[in-house]
């Protein structure tokens, strides 16, 4: 049978190997690696290029309600367009259950919003903020059984957080139905206490966001989340880890036998709390939670990427426009840092930043890059081996990288619907030039060449 497409003359990398081979694709799947490729309808010449599994970004926020008067910049069209240009073939956004709302209804709403809009494949995590008997007894189990097998809980944000009893009960459902529990670890009472002090002292600018969310608040919550997972005996994902003390908690809990997946993000490698002090209130562009720390913590995060402490490198793309009364510069936020929406864009820059700062600067090798950006996401969230690697039988989700391409990151060249990037002016080497989703080009020659064909993937 003829092949639909051959990627010829490239250097292929997986999480374990780097090798020269042609890749044959038919009906959206990889059907041949190496050997003579017969009768291809089309050949892409990948001489001098890396042929990598498409990135999977398992932590992005799209069209998520973010409080009265605030609007997230991206819907599914712009977020997934941006993801594809950045070398991704799948993203995993969140379905937020607002308090008093049915989780099942929230889920139907997100599915409806995403329909016909996504340029890459999707998988939804379920945020539980109101663990009622109906949610824990029926809705959550039903959604997990349908293949939406990951749950996120928050320890911070008054409107979202669960107390320990709520986290334990949610973890217990996850354990019984074999789902993953992701936890946002920051101690809300510590933050509220410090924020009150900052407000009383008249320290109302963006910088106070970092000052009132210290490492200790993250470390304590990380320890507590790990303890709760240990008691329930459920695997846990600690998302967006920003510092060495939280990493130490993870290492210690692993020694006790807790099954942990640990994630960090570009902001903890590239930004510091000093960015929140930028003049003319520009610090608000860097307000995210946990906040960026300092140089020493950046080094700690790099060490965790190198030595295997971290399994996942995700963007935590959570975009708000800067020049916008529904975004960072909303009227209340301008008066008080507590009202600046938390989150920064990054789905398009995640892979180029790690490729350039990590692989090109010799901090990590190419297989580790692939593991951190694709394979481990697939393994953690029930997508492997269909996705996250290059092997016969898996989806032909592939990014072809030009390792020589030099770019200066400019928001004007990106495709999200925010109006800035925190990485403006950063010079990178290496960029994904062609992206295939299930064997068909989405990005080619710097252009989007396909209609929105992304599908919601059911997971094990
Ligand atoms: N947590 C996230 O995971 N993303 C953005 C904001 C937040 O607090
Ligand atoms: Zn979070
Ligand atoms: Zn997030």
């Amino acid at each position: 049978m003829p092949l639909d497409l051959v990627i010829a003359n490239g250097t292929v990398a997986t999480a374990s190997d780097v090798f020269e081979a042609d890749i044959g694709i038919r009906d959206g799947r990889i059907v041949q690696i190496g050997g003579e490729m017969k009768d291809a309808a089309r050949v892409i010449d990948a001489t001098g290029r890396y042929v990598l599994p498409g990135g999977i970004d398992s932590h992005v926020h799209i069209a998520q309600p973010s409080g009265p008067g605030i609007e997230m910049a991206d819907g599914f069209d712009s977020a997934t367009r941006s993801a594809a240009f950045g070398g991704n073939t799948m993203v995993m956004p969140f379905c937020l259950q607002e308090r008093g709302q049915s989780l099942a209804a929230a889920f139907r709403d997100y599915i409806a919003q995403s329909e016909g809009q996504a340029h890459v494949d999707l998988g939804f995590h379920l945020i539980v903020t109101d663990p009622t008997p109906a949610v824990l007894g029926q809705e959550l189990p039903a959604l997990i059984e349908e293949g939406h097998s990951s749950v996120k809980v928050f320890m911070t944000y008054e409107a979202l957080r669960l107390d320990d009893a709520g986290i334990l009960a949610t973890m217990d459902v996850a354990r019984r139905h074999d789902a993953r529990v992701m936890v946002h670890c920051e101690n809300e009472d510590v933050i509220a206490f410090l924020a009150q002090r900052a407000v009383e002292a008249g320290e109302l600018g963006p910088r106070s966001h970092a000052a009132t969310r210290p490492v200790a608040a993250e470390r304590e919550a990380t320890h507590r989340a790990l303890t709760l997972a240990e008691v329930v005996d459920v695997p846990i994902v600690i998302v967006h880890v920003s510092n060495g003390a939280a990493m130490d908690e993870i290492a210690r809990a692993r020694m006790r036998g807790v099954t942990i997946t640990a994630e960090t993000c570009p902001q903890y490698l590239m930004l510091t709390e000093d960015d929140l002090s930028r003049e003319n209130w520009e610090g608000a562009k860097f307000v995210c939670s946990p906040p960026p720390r300092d140089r020493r913590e950046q080094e700690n995060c790099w060490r965790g990427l190198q030595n295997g402490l971290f399994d996942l490198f995700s963007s935590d793309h959570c975009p708000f426009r800067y020049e916008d009364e529904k975004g960072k510069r909303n009227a209340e936020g301008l008066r008080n840092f507590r009202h600046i929406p938390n989150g920064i864009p990054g789905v398009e820059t995640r892979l180029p930043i790690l490729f350039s700062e990590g692989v090109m600067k010799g901090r990590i090798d190419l297989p580790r890059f692939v593991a951190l950006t694709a394979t481990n996401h697939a393994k953690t969230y029930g997508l492997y081996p269909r996705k996250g690697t290059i092997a016969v039988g898996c989806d032909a989700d592939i990014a072809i990288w030009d390792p020589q391409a030099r770019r200066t990151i400019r928001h004007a060249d990106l495709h999200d619907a925010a109006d800035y990037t925190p990485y403006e002016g950063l010079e990178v080497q290496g960029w994904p030039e062609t992206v295939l989703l299930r064997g068909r080009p989405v990005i080619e020659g710097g252009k989007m060449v396909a209609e929105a064909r992304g599908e919601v993937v059911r997971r094990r």
Side-chain angles (χ1 to χ4, degrees), residues 381-427:
Y381 294 115
L383 296 158
Y384 190 83
R386 177 176 164 195
K387 292 188 180 290
T389 192
I390 291 182
V392 169
C394 63
D395 282 0
D397 292 347
I398 290 173
I400 304 175
W401 283 68
D402 178 357
Q404 303 305 329
R406 288 179 185 276
R407 291 240 198 146
T408 303
I409 292 178
R410 303 266 178 231
H411 188 261
D413 301 324
L414 302 178
H415 302 83
D416 58 62
D419 56 354
Y420 77 98
T421 165
Y423 309 108
E424 187 76 23
L426 179 70
E427 292 181 10

Side-chain angles (χ1 to χ4, degrees), residues 52-72:
L52 309 183
I56 301 174
D57 193 341
S58 61
H59 187 155
V60 306
H61 301 264
I62 303 175
Q64 195 175 301
S66 307
I70 303 297
E71 227 172 70
M72 202 163 268

Side-chain angles (χ1 to χ4, degrees), residues 59 61 152 240 316:
H59 187 155
H61 301 264
K152 185 178 179 189
H240 49 46
D316 197 1

Side-chain angles (χ1 to χ4, degrees), residues 132 174 253 329 361 380:
T132 61
R329 293 179 70 87
K361 293 196 174 169
T380 301

Side-chain angles (χ1 to χ4, degrees), residues 66-266:
S66 307
I70 303 297
E71 227 172 70
M72 202 163 268
D74 278 317
F76 285 90
D77 176 9
S78 57
T80 59
R81 180 185 304 270
S82 184
F85 273 101
N88 299 283
T89 49
M90 180 161 183
V91 298
M92 300 186 69
F94 294 87
C95 156
L96 169 67
Q97 175 211 20
E98 295 187 270
R99 291 230 176 101
Q101 190 189 20
S102 138
L103 179 64
F107 186 75
R108 282 195 296 274
D109 206 53
Y110 279 92
I111 293 289
Q113 280 191 62
S114 69
E115 218 128 58
Q117 300 291 309
H119 302 278
V120 300
D121 281 347
L122 298 173
F124 283 96
H125 308 294
L126 309 166
I127 297 178
V128 173
T129 64
D130 200 357
T132 61
V135 167
L136 293 188
Q138 288 126 45
E139 295 186 353
L140 183 55
L143 286 164
I144 295 170
E145 294 306 324
E146 275 177 36
H148 313 294
S149 52
S150 43
V151 184
K152 185 178 179 189
V153 297
F154 284 82
M155 301 173 91
T156 183
Y157 300 126
E158 252 338 305
L160 305 180
R161 72 150 153 170
L162 300 188
D163 61 12
D164 290 356
I167 296 172
L168 285 163
T170 306
M171 283 180 168
D172 195 40
V173 175
R175 182 186 62 79
R176 281 187 276 119
H177 294 271
D178 203 13
R180 290 281 171 277
V181 186
M182 313 160 76
V183 186
H184 178 131
C185 300
E186 287 184 293
N187 180 315
E188 174 64 20
D189 289 334
V190 167
I191 294 163
F193 168 78
L194 294 175
Q196 173 76 20
R197 264 206 334 214
V199 169
E200 282 165 11
E203 292 157 3
L204 298 171
R207 173 71 184 222
S208 290
H209 174 80
T212 59
R213 305 183 88 98
V215 164
E218 184 182 341
R219 185 198 64 221
E220 184 281 329
T222 304
H223 176 83
R224 187 155 36 98
L226 292 166
T227 303
L228 301 181
E230 185 178 344
V231 167
V232 176
D233 190 19
V234 67
I236 183 172
V237 183
I238 305 291
V239 295
H240 49 46
V241 175
S242 72
N243 68 84
M247 291 164 59
D248 289 344
E249 294 294 342
I250 291 165
R252 270 198 289 277
R254 280 188 175 141
M255 295 291 281
R256 297 195 298 274
V258 185
T259 303
I260 305 162
T261 304
E263 175 196 80
T264 193
C265 313

Side-chain angles (χ1 to χ4, degrees), residues 239-420:
V239 295
H240 49 46
V241 175
S242 72
N243 68 84
M247 291 164 59
D248 289 344
E249 294 294 342
I250 291 165
R252 270 198 289 277
R254 280 188 175 141
M255 295 291 281
R256 297 195 298 274
V258 185
T259 303
I260 305 162
T261 304
E263 175 196 80
T264 193
C265 313
Q267 47 271 37
Y268 306 118
L269 306 179
M270 305 304 295
L271 306 176
T272 71
E273 60 197 344
D274 291 340
D275 287 308
L276 281 82
S277 300
R278 290 209 204 176
E279 283 177 6
N280 300 325
W281 210 79
E282 292 233 356
K285 290 180 176 175
F286 305 88
V287 166
C288 61
S289 294
R293 307 294 183 184
D294 59 20
R295 297 266 167 228
R296 193 173 58 95
E297 299 297 5
Q298 289 182 342
E299 287 310 312
N300 284 332
C301 290
W302 274 115
R303 183 167 48 80
L305 290 170
Q306 290 165 329
N307 68 14
L309 185 125
F310 288 121
D311 307 286
L312 306 177
F313 187 73
S314 308
S315 69
D316 197 1
H317 179 76
C318 186
F320 298 96
R321 289 172 54 80
Y322 179 67
E323 295 286 357
D324 197 322
E325 60 189 22
K326 293 183 183 148
K328 296 285 188 183
R329 293 179 70 87
N330 70 83
E332 285 184 287
L334 286 168
R335 287 194 290 270
N336 181 337
F337 68 96
R338 293 286 274 168
H339 297 281
I340 301 171
N342 284 206
I344 60 177
V347 72
E348 193 166 343
T349 46
R350 170 187 75 126
L351 296 174
I353 286 173
L354 189 65
F355 190 90
S356 184
E357 292 289 321
V359 180
M360 284 297 151
K361 293 196 174 169
R363 289 173 164 127
I364 58 172
D365 62 17
L366 204 48
R368 184 89 186 115
F369 174 84
V370 172
L372 285 164
T373 58
T375 315
N376 292 350
H377 300 253
K379 288 183 174 175
T380 301
Y381 294 115
L383 296 158
Y384 190 83
R386 177 176 164 195
K387 292 188 180 290
T389 192
I390 291 182
V392 169
C394 63
D395 282 0
D397 292 347
I398 290 173
I400 304 175
W401 283 68
D402 178 357
Q404 303 305 329
R406 288 179 185 276
R407 291 240 198 146
T408 303
I409 292 178
R410 303 266 178 231
H411 188 261
D413 301 324
L414 302 178
H415 302 83
D416 58 62
D419 56 354
Y420 77 98

